[in-house]
Amino acid sequence: MLRKLRYQFGKFRNSVFYEDFNSAIKKLDKVYPPKYVIWDATRRCNLRCEHCGATKEEYSEELTTEQVKDVIDQLAAIKTPFFAVTGGEPLLRGDLIGILGYAREKGIKTGIATNGYLLTEGNVRKLKEARVSSFQVSLDGLERTHNKIRGNPQSFQRAVRGIKRLQAAGFPIVSVATTVTTTNIGELDGLRQLLRDLGVKTWRICITMPIGRAEDNKLLLKEEKLRWLLEWTARHRKQRPRILIGENLPFLGPYERLVRNEPLPCPVGFTACCIGTDGHVRGCPEMPDKERFREGSVLEQPFLQLWKNGFKKYRARAAIKDDERCRRCANRLDCFGGCWVMREGNTQCIYELLGTQRPSK
């Protein structure tokens, strides 16, 4: 009963926030700042993961140190509380730790998503000095499988050692992320035990997105395997580590309340956005850096102007208006049309992914 009330309250709270957010723009000509901004720092990487989506674009230039610091100044001015960094492998940027330290000096908490390979003793010490708040380290299986997926025979041990160093250094949040595919789904129990042994408290799980090397959907879990994954998650949801199903599945259909305590709607345009490698702003790092997803560039317009005037289709819930399947679905106001990136491969509907009938309104 308490879980049901918590979920219902979360849904009500979100509804009020979205309505208030759009009303503030239309009636008061003001916009609430994003709760977090993700910087897609680089597309360079030291690994070659079979499911990587970051290979979908290449860039001849990256934002300079001073350009990123200017963006951070703008985020601090509007009181954005969190600045996260991803890639590629962000630690390949020699200026990254200095930039994270600069953001912290400006009063913004910081986080980094990394493959863990470069979490050396020296880098962990510098990251501690920069007062980084949170880390997400990728682990995609036990040693042999992880190394195969990542294309490097040392990647597993380097990631595990990195997690241990972060834990020993006392960082507030050290989580692990796993992309579950047809390659590694059989190792989830073993991986879960490993994370328990490592003292990891939060484990973020997602399925592949139809971008980059996973564009052909060959690694995407089929109906039976996806149902098994959600049932497996439900069985272990009250145990450590806490398992969170990623945002590319913002609604889980019949499994939603078995797995989640509260809704997890897509945050794009309401509480989050991404600044791309070359300065173009889009919804999230996984979104293809194509014109239809771009809201403009921080090299051409102030960030606040881009945030206020952009992201119209997300704020208008265009997916459930334009997609005939969504318009007819009884759960359209629960999932809001699914993940925009999953739409690139027509894999956004949870009912189609599960092979079950979509409820009609």
Side-chain angles (χ1 to χ4, degrees):
M1 182 55 132
L2 288 177
R3 279 185 60 200
K4 182 178 180 179
L5 289 173
R6 179 178 174 182
Y7 190 94
Q8 288 297 108
F9 176 75
K11 187 175 179 179
F12 172 76
R13 179 190 59 208
N14 289 343
S15 177
V16 170
F17 172 76
Y18 297 141
E19 184 175 347
D20 190 42
F21 187 100
N22 283 327
S23 179
I25 294 177
K26 292 176 182 177
K27 297 180 180 179
L28 303 177
D29 194 35
K30 74 172 186 177
V31 65
Y32 299 133
K35 293 182 180 179
Y36 62 98
V37 171
I38 306 170
W39 173 35
D40 189 3
T42 182
R43 287 300 169 84
R44 290 175 286 144
C45 193
N46 46 4
L47 301 180
R48 185 178 173 79
C49 306
E50 65 181 19
H51 59 267
C52 180
T55 59
K56 59 187 180 295
E57 299 100 12
E58 294 183 0
Y59 298 90
S60 58
E61 294 184 359
E62 301 173 349
L63 291 177
T64 66
T65 305
E66 293 308 312
Q67 287 169 339
V68 180
K69 286 184 175 180
D70 178 66
V71 171
I72 289 171
D73 289 340
Q74 295 180 56
L75 297 179
I78 63 174
K79 301 189 184 312
T80 295
F82 195 78
F83 181 69
V85 185
T86 187
E89 173 46 52
L91 284 169
L92 286 173
R93 280 194 63 133
D95 60 353
L96 181 77
I97 297 177
I99 288 172
L100 293 174
Y102 182 81
R104 201 68 184 88
E105 290 172 5
K106 293 294 181 176
I108 303 175
K109 290 185 177 182
T110 58
I112 179 171
T114 172
N115 61 37
Y117 200 90
L118 297 176
L119 291 174
T120 61
E121 290 183 4
N123 277 341
V124 169
R125 182 175 63 254
K126 293 174 184 177
L127 289 161
K128 185 69 174 178
E129 293 169 356
R131 294 185 293 161
V132 175
S133 303
S134 70
F135 290 82
Q136 179 177 283
V137 182
S138 297
L139 269 181
D140 289 317
L142 300 178
E143 185 163 8
R144 183 176 179 181
T145 299
H146 177 89
N147 289 343
K148 175 180 178 293
I149 289 172
R150 298 262 154 183
N152 185 297
Q154 300 179 50
S155 59
F156 178 84
Q157 288 299 332
R158 295 283 290 252
V160 169
R161 283 199 294 269
I163 292 169
K164 291 179 178 178
R165 287 173 180 142
L166 295 174
Q167 299 277 41
F171 286 96
I173 300 173
V174 180
S175 65
V176 164
T178 300
T179 300
V180 182
T181 70
T182 54
T183 303
N184 63 7
I185 189 169
E187 295 192 352
L188 290 183
D189 284 315
L191 189 52
R192 175 174 165 270
Q193 184 58 53
L194 172 65
L195 301 189
R196 289 168 66 93
D197 294 343
L198 290 172
V200 173
K201 296 179 180 178
T202 303
W203 186 13
R204 301 181 185 277
I205 286 177
C206 68
I207 60 174
T208 57
M209 297 187 183
I211 51 175
R213 296 194 185 104
E215 186 175 16
D216 59 10
N217 282 328
K218 289 182 180 178
L219 296 172
L220 183 68
L221 299 182
K222 299 301 185 284
E223 301 165 359
E224 181 181 350
K225 293 294 186 182
L226 181 57
R227 288 195 294 269
W228 181 91
L229 173 63
L230 296 176
E231 290 165 4
W232 180 89
T233 302
R235 288 197 303 273
H236 298 295
R237 61 179 301 277
K238 294 183 179 180
Q239 304 165 7
R240 290 288 180 93
R242 182 169 62 120
I243 303 172
L244 303 177
I245 299 291
E247 291 167 345
N248 66 330
L249 291 175
F251 180 65
L252 302 174
Y255 296 97
E256 175 73 5
R257 300 193 189 187
L258 296 175
V259 171
R260 291 183 175 139
N261 289 326
E262 55 187 36
L264 185 69
C266 175
V268 167
F270 289 101
T271 60
C273 70
C274 170
I275 297 173
T277 301
D278 63 355
H280 283 104
V281 175
R282 60 188 190 277
C284 73
E286 289 75 26
M287 278 185 180
D289 191 2
K290 298 178 181 179
E291 193 62 36
R292 68 180 184 277
F293 288 121
R294 289 177 176 175
E295 308 297 336
S297 172
V298 293
L299 300 182
E300 299 172 358
Q301 300 177 63
F303 175 81
L304 183 58
Q305 183 177 333
L306 294 169
W307 176 248
K308 180 182 177 183
N309 298 329
F311 303 97
K312 287 182 170 56
K313 65 182 177 184
Y314 312 103
R315 293 168 181 169
R317 301 300 189 190
I320 60 174
K321 298 175 182 178
D322 299 339
D323 189 325
E324 179 65 24
R325 293 170 298 178
C326 294
R327 287 202 300 269
R328 296 178 177 179
C329 181
N331 290 130
R332 65 195 181 284
L333 298 181
D334 293 303
C335 107
F336 296 107
C339 170
W340 284 85
V341 182
M342 297 295 276
R343 283 184 171 271
E344 292 294 286
N346 197 31
T347 54
Q348 74 277 5
C349 179
I350 186 62
Y351 293 104
E352 293 178 6
L353 288 172
L354 291 171
T356 58
Q357 187 174 1
R358 186 186 300 109
S360 299
K361 65 177 181 179

